[in-house]
């Protein structure tokens, strides 16, 4: 009788929490440093140089124990970053080009992104706010993880031309949207989100972004700290008006500019 009287929204949310709890339970049984067994081989397309770079980068992350979730591993193997950014940037992301030195803007590496996505733990049907460097690529990976019933809502400080290019690259992902605006503020007009990925450095996570998380186990993953030194990768879980923070790792990523970022920049016209 309770099941029959539930609204569709409540029923869907309970099922999402159940799937997430089942996955988390399975991951706690597996040792965090144990290599992840894949149901498919790596190296089927070694003739293509960019595919080879992508597979080598994923293999390194598997060997280091960074990647543990098979659907994330599959998404990183299948989605070509060069389809969503310039090839130079894709090579930087995949680690072919060495990290830059102090007092220059660091590179967002695949390892940093993978650590953030593992901590975020997106599930089927999740609504995710994407506030990241490499907006188009990160959103494509998130779209694979949440499936066709989910939603990935990106906010980026880009011009009209770049916004058109990004939206065009998402042809196969109708669950993705892009708003031109300040990524350090997010989309205040949107409903609450199940997950929030902040794939760039902020001095701290502002209250305006915290309050956009769903009051029942909404989760944000963010890089917080100084501009030119390693930052804390932090997971923040909201339970009503309480926020629980957990330090996941240390990394160095590019900063996000905007009202709550290290640099104050206005939205492009």
């Amino acid at each position: 009788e309770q099941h029959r009287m539930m609204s569709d929204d409540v029923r869907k949310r309970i099922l999402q929490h159940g799937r997430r709890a089942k996955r988390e339970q399975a991951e706690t049984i597996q040792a965090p440093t144990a290599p992840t067994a894949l149901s498919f081989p790596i190296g089927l397309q070694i003739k293509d140089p960019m595919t080879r770079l992508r597979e080598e980068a994923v293999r390194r992350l598997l060997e280091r124990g960074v990647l543990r979730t098979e659907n994330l591993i599959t998404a990183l193997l299948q989605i070509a970053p060069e389809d969503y950014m310039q090839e130079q940037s894709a090579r930087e992301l995949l680690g072919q080009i060495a990290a830059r030195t102090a007092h220059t803007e660091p590179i967002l590496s695949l390892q940093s992104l993978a650590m953030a996505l593992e901590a975020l733990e997106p599930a089927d049907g999740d609504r995710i706010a994407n506030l990241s460097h490499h907006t188009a690529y990160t959103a494509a990976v998130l779209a694979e993880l949440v499936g066709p019933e989910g939603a990935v809502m990106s906010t980026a400080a880009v011009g009209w031309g770049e916004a058109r290019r990004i939206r065009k690259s998402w042809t196969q992902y109708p669950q993705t949207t892009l708003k031109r605006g300040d990524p350090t503020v997010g989309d205040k007009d949107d409903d609450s989100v199940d997950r929030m990925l902040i794939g760039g450095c902020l001095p701290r996570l502002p209250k305006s972004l915290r309050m956009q998380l769903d009051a029942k186990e909404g989760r944000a993953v963010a890089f917080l700290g100084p501009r030119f030194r390693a930052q804390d990768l932090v997971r923040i879980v909201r339970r009503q008006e309480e926020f629980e923070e957990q330090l996941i790792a240390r990394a160095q990523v590019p900063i996000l500019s905007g009202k709550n970022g290290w640099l104050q920049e206005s939205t492009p016209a």
Side-chain angles (χ1 to χ4, degrees):
E1 183 180 359
Q2 289 177 343
H3 182 273
R4 180 173 55 81
M5 296 178 65
M6 280 181 187
S7 68
D8 291 340
D9 183 64
V10 171
R11 187 181 300 110
K12 179 180 177 181
R13 187 171 297 278
I14 290 174
L15 289 173
Q16 288 176 4
H17 287 316
R19 287 192 294 267
R20 187 177 300 124
K22 184 177 180 180
R23 187 182 68 249
E24 289 174 353
Q25 182 183 33
E27 289 175 358
T28 57
I29 296 173
Q30 179 184 6
T33 56
T36 301
L38 298 179
S39 59
F40 52 88
I42 294 179
L44 297 179
Q45 303 181 51
I46 58 174
K47 292 184 179 180
D48 179 72
M50 291 303 296
T51 302
R52 187 164 60 248
L53 281 178
R54 185 165 74 253
E55 293 185 346
E56 289 172 354
V58 171
R59 190 191 302 274
R60 288 195 300 270
L61 297 183
L62 285 167
E63 292 171 350
R64 295 171 186 170
V66 174
L67 287 171
R68 304 181 303 276
T69 310
E70 185 166 341
N71 61 346
L72 174 57
I73 298 167
T74 303
L76 295 180
L77 285 171
Q78 289 180 345
I79 299 175
E82 64 272 17
D83 291 344
Y84 300 92
M85 64 183 81
Q86 294 182 353
E87 185 174 313
Q88 168 84 0
S89 298
R91 290 180 180 274
E92 292 177 351
L93 176 79
L94 297 175
Q96 187 185 38
I97 300 175
R100 301 170 193 175
T101 58
H103 304 299
T104 61
E105 198 65 38
I107 293 168
L108 177 63
S109 68
L110 189 65
Q111 175 165 321
S112 297
L113 180 59
M115 288 192 300
L117 291 171
E118 285 283 5
L120 190 68
E121 298 180 338
D124 289 344
D126 273 350
R127 288 170 47 82
I128 299 184
N130 172 40
L131 316 173
S132 303
H133 280 275
H134 300 320
T135 302
Y137 171 69
T138 305
V141 174
L142 288 170
E144 283 285 341
L145 298 176
V146 302
E149 294 184 0
V152 180
M153 298 153 290
S154 301
T155 304
V158 295
W160 287 108
E162 179 66 6
R164 283 194 297 269
R165 185 195 68 79
I166 291 174
R167 292 183 181 116
K168 186 176 181 180
S169 72
W170 290 337
T171 303
Q172 61 178 317
Y173 299 115
Q175 67 271 51
T176 57
T177 59
L178 174 66
K179 178 182 178 181
R180 298 172 60 253
D182 185 345
T184 71
V185 173
D187 191 350
K188 295 181 179 180
D189 299 329
D190 207 347
D191 296 332
S192 62
V193 296
D194 301 302
R195 296 287 187 263
M196 179 181 293
L197 175 64
I198 303 175
C201 174
L202 294 178
R204 60 182 180 83
L205 188 64
K207 184 177 180 180
S208 61
L209 291 181
R210 290 173 182 258
M211 298 308 294
Q212 292 176 36
L213 297 174
D214 185 81
K216 299 179 181 179
E217 302 288 332
R219 178 178 300 188
V221 171
F223 295 90
L224 307 178
R227 180 179 179 185
F228 293 115
R229 297 191 303 277
Q231 302 109 15
D232 293 334
L233 174 59
V234 178
R235 177 167 55 202
I236 298 154
V237 179
R238 180 183 181 185
R239 297 182 176 91
Q240 300 303 329
E241 300 307 313
E242 298 294 326
F243 295 88
E244 176 186 324
E245 296 191 14
Q246 179 184 4
L247 176 63
I248 302 298
R250 300 271 290 174
Q252 190 171 5
V253 299
I255 64 170
L256 286 179
S257 300
K259 179 180 179 181
N260 297 306
W262 279 106
L263 296 177
Q264 302 290 322
E265 291 185 1
S266 58
T267 304

